[in-house]
Amino acid sequence: MDNMFKPRIIAFCCNWCSYAGADLAGVSRFQYPPNARIIRVMCSGRVEPRFVFRAFEKGADGVIVTGCHIGDCHYISGNKKAEERMKLVRYLIGILGLEEDRFRLEWISASEGQKFAHVMTAFINKIKELGPNPMFGKIEEGTECQQ
Amino acid sequence: MSTEQEQPRIGVSVCHCGTNIGGFLDVPAVAEYVKTLPYVIYSEHNLYTCADDGLTSIKNAIKEHDLNRIIVASCTPRTHAPLFQYTCESAGLNPYLFEFVNIREQCSWVHMKEKEEATLKAKDLIRMGVARANLLEPQTEKRVDVISKALVIGGGVAGMSASLSLADQGFQIYLIEKEEELGGMVRKYYKLTPSNIDALEFIDNMVNKIKIRENIKIYKSSIVKDVRGYIGNFKVTIEGKSNENLEVGTIILATGAQEFKPNGFYEYGQDERIVTTIELENKMRIKELDGVINVIMIQCVGSREERIPYCSRICCMTAIKNAIYLKKEFDISVNILHNEIRVYGDYYEALYRKAQEIGVHFNKFGENDKPKVLKENGTLNVEIFNEGLGRIEKYPADLIVVSTPMVNISDAESLSKMLKVPLGQDRFFFEAHVKLRPLDFATDGIFLCGAAHAPATIPEVITQGYGAASRAAIPLASGYVQVEAITSHVEEAKCRGCGRCVEVCEYKALELAELENGRRVSRTNEVLCKGCGTCVATCCNGAISMMHYTSEQINAMIDAALSEKVGGGIVG
Ligand SMILES: Cc1cc2nc3c(=O)[nH]c(=O)nc-3n(C[C@H](O)[C@H](O)[C@H](O)COP(=O)(O)OP(=O)(O)OC[C@H]3O[C@@H](n4cnc5c(N)ncnc54)[C@H](O)[C@@H]3O)c2cc1C
Ligand code: SF4
Ligand code: SF4
Ligand code: SF4
Ligand code: FES
């Protein structure tokens, strides 16, 4: 059964650092498991909490948000805003009955192709350990930010 | 073309990229699958979508099938989006109705041993792209003025060449050099090849040309402390004798390289008779070679092995250059120990022959059988298994020169972060595209030349300096750049005037305005807005939307990613 489980992962990558890091992983041919589907956003600060909830609601087994290292955000502090927001997301995911580890926030720079591949591999393995999203179909539509 | 009311008519081109994509996933199957997706009218697959016939085929398809959305599934938008957007535009389609799906860097190249899974993933990714494309709307770009000044970081041969060329074109240049003097690595050499010119004379010549230019302002003993802003409007903080804030339109990075210090190799650092090539050049310059009769050079020390796998390109020709000087000017015998001599081109090949003719010795050791340095009663000997002679040989040496590779400067990592430009696997700075944009970084307005990119010879870095200068001059000369029409937009009806968005915007692009009825609402200043989207994620009332990256579009992508169990989930 375990081998049969192929996690479905949504990854939000900021255009300036992490998406470029993902490109570099490709250029360098660093291999990682094929489970993540990347959505490019301009900045990690663009990621609305409801995107994350929506992904879980629609059956994602894990969601990862990646951005520039703190201090390096192309828009000065978008990642700091993301960090605050995503703390809340982690907390709310717990309340929804999901393991907090199904969600992750990581800083990956444009030159960290290797790190991108490592982070993806580690995250996917973690989700494999956790198994399928137990709340799939049970989360109410319209869970929103309460900040 | 208005598409707002029109139904989407989507055309998709899936690229093989030769075997880069086609070799690792089933491209025809993907193109076939795409036809089953809603609103997809047309789907094709090309060997090279970015080649002329690929682009023509997109243009023809737009006309023939009356397409109002185009999707290319190929490499990365970070390098190829402008090309395809331009193609759409030239066929009469608003470039914002183009969607890019990355199935190379983020699929075929990272799942090279999982053809089936990679194919499924590519299908998922294109399905997500189609979902977004359905919701795309045409946009008009705004123009932003460009400050017609440039910053050049690094005053070596590359940076000086770039500065001179830009100054010739009439622009104001700020040239930043970390050291007390301009000139870079070349300042430390004896003579240069080709041309046998004295290294210092060559550099002084160049420096003198720079010094007299009124439109080049030189900052010596200075570094770049901070860079903010965008193409056309960079704000740069310089730290040095005086701290200054500069405003420039474009930036050229020319920070060069350094010689790898072979600590831990042989007894370098402990025995003074073991030196690097630059240290040898210095000894020749100050004529400090008394009593030296035999010099042994060992090639590829540190390079072409695990830690530094690349060939540094210049060390073989440098060794040969120095061997000739040692022999002819100092009457010293030279023995070059190598695994293979890599000289290229007419000139260096001839130099190699000349060295052999005048009696420089060349002896080959095995790739996995590095030379051993032996100390016997204080005398140095180098022992190798001589592949030519098929036996172990021992050579005496008064001086051992280890040829080590050029490596990137020590503060490369922090510069990379500050400028948001990448380093490659070799730790050198990494261009936007090897073939299409060799002197650009992917970040608009920042360019690259010289040894900061890879080990190169002086003629090569001068060429690159001129090239980068002409790239950097394009926005300076036109005076404006078009910036992407990605800005926030407040829907007044939904806004409650709480002001949270105003607080989070770093660019002061949002302002609370009072309506006639006294209600306060937030408004975007589109010229100031940089399109980060932080305000959108902040507003709890969903009152702000992001042009071209709307929440609806992102939601549609999330839904599409998870709508089918094609690429993930529990299959079979
Ligand atoms: C031993 C040796 C011998 C060689 N001999 C020859 C030869 O005979 N003929 C030939 O064609 N080529 C030769 N080369 C190659 C030559 O050295 C390079 O082509 C050339 O130096 C590259 O110029 P550059 O401007 O790119 O880099 P550099 O010469 O390294 O100049 C870069 C400059 O940037 C400055 N800098 C670095 N970081 C910063 C920062 N953060 N802020 C501001 N400034 C900074 C540095 O101080 C330096 O002045 C030789 C190389 C070696 C190692
Ligand atoms: S570079 Fe991009 S568009 Fe060109 S052939 Fe390769 S994948 Fe296709
Ligand atoms: S955060 Fe939303 S509701 Fe508050 S002022 Fe901004 S747009 Fe209006
Ligand atoms: S998108 Fe970013 S820059 Fe534009 S108004 Fe919102 S927070 Fe400010
Ligand atoms: S741009 Fe990368 S996190 Fe803001």
Side-chain angles (χ1 to χ4, degrees):
Chain A
M1 155 78 198
D2 259 359
N3 304 339
M4 300 279 285
F5 174 50
K6 293 179 182 166
R8 296 193 295 172
I9 305 232
I10 299 290
F12 294 96
C13 300
C14 92
N15 180 57
W16 303 97
C17 288
S18 315
Y19 192 89
D23 277 352
L24 186 60
V27 173
S28 320
R29 310 297 197 275
F30 296 136
Q31 307 293 299
Y32 56 86
N35 306 68
R37 304 290 174 262
I38 291 177
I39 296 178
R40 183 166 70 115
V41 286
M42 279 303 140
C43 175
S44 63
R46 170 71 184 92
V47 180
E48 298 174 29
R50 48 194 126 190
F51 294 160
V52 180
F53 299 130
R54 187 176 188 111
F56 282 122
E57 176 197 320
K58 302 282 174 173
D61 302 301
V63 177
I64 178 165
V65 175
T66 60
C68 316
H69 288 270
I70 295 292
D72 295 342
C73 172
H74 192 67
Y75 306 97
I76 304 174
S77 68
N79 50 6
K80 282 195 195 141
K81 314 272 158 51
E83 193 172 37
E84 287 160 27
R85 236 172 254 142
M86 295 308 145
K87 264 185 208 148
L88 190 79
V89 167
R90 238 177 117 85
Y91 171 74
L92 286 174
I93 286 171
I95 292 189
L96 285 174
L98 279 169
E99 301 87 340
E100 287 182 3
D101 285 349
R102 288 187 187 276
F103 174 76
R104 195 181 275 198
L105 177 66
E106 286 276 352
W107 308 137
I108 303 171
S109 79
S111 58
E112 293 175 328
Q114 183 107 52
K115 181 171 178 190
F116 188 90
H118 280 326
V119 165
M120 280 301 163
T121 308
F123 186 57
I124 292 165
N125 286 341
K126 180 77 210 174
I127 301 298
K128 279 184 182 158
E129 244 172 62
L130 291 174
N133 171 351
M135 299 304 290
F136 184 17
K138 294 183 200 153
I139 302 174
E140 270 174 52
E141 188 123 359
T143 309
E144 288 194 355
C145 87
Q146 307 291 325
Q147 36 181 309
Chain B
M1 188 184 301
S2 155
T3 46
E4 267 160 62
Q5 282 91 30
E6 268 176 356
Q7 273 216 345
R9 294 178 61 81
I10 302 178
V12 184
S13 172
V14 189
C15 187
H16 288 256
C17 199
T19 54
N20 282 305
I21 297 171
F24 305 99
L25 51 87
D26 187 346
V27 171
V30 172
E32 207 45 47
Y33 165 78
V34 170
K35 287 184 185 155
T36 66
L37 297 172
Y39 301 113
V40 174
I41 306 292
Y42 176 78
S43 151
E44 62 174 25
H45 53 99
N46 285 307
L47 192 55
Y48 295 104
T49 306
C50 61
D52 271 349
D53 31 342
L55 300 177
T56 310
S57 162
I58 292 178
K59 282 192 246 180
N60 291 343
I62 293 176
K63 288 183 190 130
E64 238 168 77
H65 302 275
D66 194 22
L67 303 175
N68 56 19
R69 303 283 191 286
I70 287 293
I71 296 176
V72 173
S74 60
C75 39
T76 170
R78 298 179 76 258
T79 56
H80 281 58
L83 177 69
F84 296 129
Q85 285 181 313
Y86 178 77
T87 304
C88 290
E89 209 172 4
S90 64
L93 194 66
N94 184 289
Y96 286 81
L97 298 172
F98 167 76
E99 166 73 351
F100 213 124
V101 179
N102 185 334
I103 58 167
R104 190 181 74 177
E105 278 81 348
Q106 299 183 4
C107 193
S108 70
W109 276 352
V110 287
H111 314 307
M112 297 172 92
K113 294 192 187 106
E114 297 158 283
K115 189 163 187 172
E116 204 177 317
E117 287 294 325
T119 304
L120 292 173
K121 175 169 168 179
K123 290 179 182 173
D124 279 7
L125 293 173
I126 299 176
R127 195 171 59 245
M128 292 159 70
V130 169
R132 175 166 182 239
N134 283 332
L135 301 170
L136 286 175
E137 281 174 26
Q139 311 284 345
T140 347
E141 294 193 334
K142 54 184 189 214
R143 283 180 170 201
V144 167
D145 289 339
V146 168
I147 298 167
S148 64
K149 299 174 182 173
L151 176 80
V152 177
I153 313 174
V157 174
M160 286 196 288
S161 306
S163 302
L164 276 170
S165 167
L166 279 167
D168 281 345
Q169 298 173 62
F171 301 111
Q172 168 70 47
I173 310 305
Y174 302 112
L175 174 58
I176 315 299
E177 170 54 55
K178 190 166 68 176
E179 302 295 330
E180 282 168 27
E181 291 298 334
L182 295 174
M185 315 219 325
V186 178
R187 205 166 253 296
K188 300 175 186 154
Y189 308 156
Y190 175 54
K191 288 183 186 176
L192 303 177
T193 177
S195 81
N196 283 327
I197 185 175
D198 181 88
L200 270 180
E201 193 184 314
F202 171 80
I203 285 299
D204 286 342
N205 230 323
M206 234 177 162
V207 172
N208 287 337
K209 277 191 206 154
I210 295 251
K211 270 194 198 150
I212 55 166
R213 305 305 292 253
E214 273 171 12
N215 54 351
I216 302 181
K217 184 157 182 207
I218 306 166
Y219 293 80
K220 287 190 253 186
S221 309
S222 299
I223 55 160
V224 177
K225 195 69 199 160
D226 191 36
V227 177
R228 303 268 158 190
Y230 301 81
I231 179 170
N233 297 277
F234 288 106
K235 291 187 174 42
V236 183
T237 313
I238 306 295
E239 195 182 75
K241 285 175 196 144
S242 63
N243 292 1
E244 259 185 72
N245 294 316
L246 305 174
E247 294 195 346
V248 296
T250 50
I251 298 176
I252 294 179
L253 183 93
T255 45
Q258 60 177 331
E259 188 187 46
F260 172 68
K261 285 274 169 272
N263 295 319
F265 287 84
Y266 305 115
E267 278 188 26
Y268 178 79
Q270 289 157 43
D271 192 317
E272 281 180 1
R273 293 168 296 177
I274 303 177
V275 298
T276 66
T277 309
I278 292 192
E279 287 160 358
L280 167 73
E281 298 229 10
N282 184 51
K283 278 182 184 294
M284 291 197 281
R285 197 150 54 93
I286 60 175
K287 312 270 186 266
E288 198 197 75
L289 288 160
D290 287 349
V292 177
I293 299 163
N294 291 306
V295 167
I296 290 192
M297 297 184 181
I298 306 177
Q299 297 307 100
C300 300
V301 174
S303 60
R304 296 177 62 216
E305 56 178 46
E306 219 174 313
R307 226 184 97 196
I308 306 177
Y310 56 85
C311 160
S312 181
R313 289 178 84 244
I314 48 100
C315 338
C316 281
M317 70 95 175
T318 305
I320 293 169
K321 162 188 93 166
N322 290 330
I324 294 175
Y325 295 139
L326 285 171
K327 183 97 190 157
K328 288 179 95 176
E329 296 179 18
F330 298 85
D331 199 21
I332 290 171
S333 150
V334 185
N335 187 351
I336 301 182
L337 308 180
H338 63 91
N339 169 244
E340 100 195 279
I341 289 288
R342 296 191 165 183
V343 283
Y344 52 94
D346 225 17
Y347 182 82
Y348 301 121
E349 214 31 271
L351 201 69
Y352 183 23
R353 274 196 302 275
K354 181 178 170 194
Q356 288 169 316
E357 275 160 26
I358 65 166
V360 173
H361 304 285
F362 290 86
N363 288 293
K364 182 173 183 329
F365 54 81
E367 195 175 337
N368 300 314
D369 195 8
K370 303 263 158 147
K372 292 182 192 65
V373 172
L374 311 169
K375 227 191 248 179
E376 288 153 4
N377 301 326
T379 336
L380 285 179
N381 285 294
V382 185
E383 190 184 89
I384 63 164
F385 179 80
N386 187 315
E387 286 206 333
L389 300 172
R391 60 163 187 259
I392 293 178
E393 291 260 294
K394 198 156 91 177
Y395 311 103
D398 306 305
L399 189 69
I400 297 175
V401 183
V402 286
S403 287
T404 63
M406 286 163 93
V407 293
N408 205 348
I409 53 167
S410 340
D411 44 359
E413 199 84 34
S414 67
L415 270 170
S416 144
K417 281 189 179 165
M418 196 191 303
L419 295 165
K420 289 182 200 71
V421 298
L423 299 174
Q425 243 182 307
D426 56 9
R427 309 316 290 158
F428 280 104
F429 288 99
F430 196 58
E431 72 279 10
H433 192 279
V434 223
K435 283 170 286 185
L436 298 174
R437 295 170 63 194
L439 301 171
D440 302 3
F441 280 115
T443 305
D444 286 339
I446 308 185
F447 304 88
L448 166 70
C449 61
H453 170 245
T457 65
I458 293 169
E460 287 165 342
V461 308
I462 293 177
T463 313
Q464 291 175 12
Y466 291 162
S470 77
R471 296 291 295 153
I474 295 171
L476 302 185
S478 60
Y480 70 87
V481 282
Q482 308 244 115
V483 292
E484 288 179 323
I486 303 173
T487 59
S488 69
H489 175 79
V490 182
E491 229 178 288
E492 287 182 359
K494 286 191 190 165
C495 173
R496 292 196 203 144
C498 69
R500 277 220 181 93
C501 56
V502 180
E503 270 168 45
V504 299
C505 178
E506 290 277 5
Y507 300 94
K508 306 202 178 351
L510 290 159
E511 228 174 30
L512 286 181
E514 207 168 283
L515 299 180
E516 274 175 20
N517 60 11
R519 204 161 71 84
R520 298 210 311 162
V521 293
S522 173
R523 263 188 203 151
T524 308
N525 177 333
E526 281 167 21
V527 177
L528 294 180
C529 173
K530 304 293 178 215
C532 67
T534 295
C535 57
V536 189
T538 299
C539 178
C540 287
N541 300 308
I544 314 182
S545 56
M546 194 68 221
M547 303 314 231
H548 204 54
Y549 282 92
T550 65
S551 307
E552 292 72 28
Q553 288 165 4
I554 294 174
N555 282 337
M557 290 179 87
I558 296 171
D559 294 359
L562 301 164
S563 68
E564 278 184 37
K565 293 202 167 170
V566 177
I570 301 161
V571 281

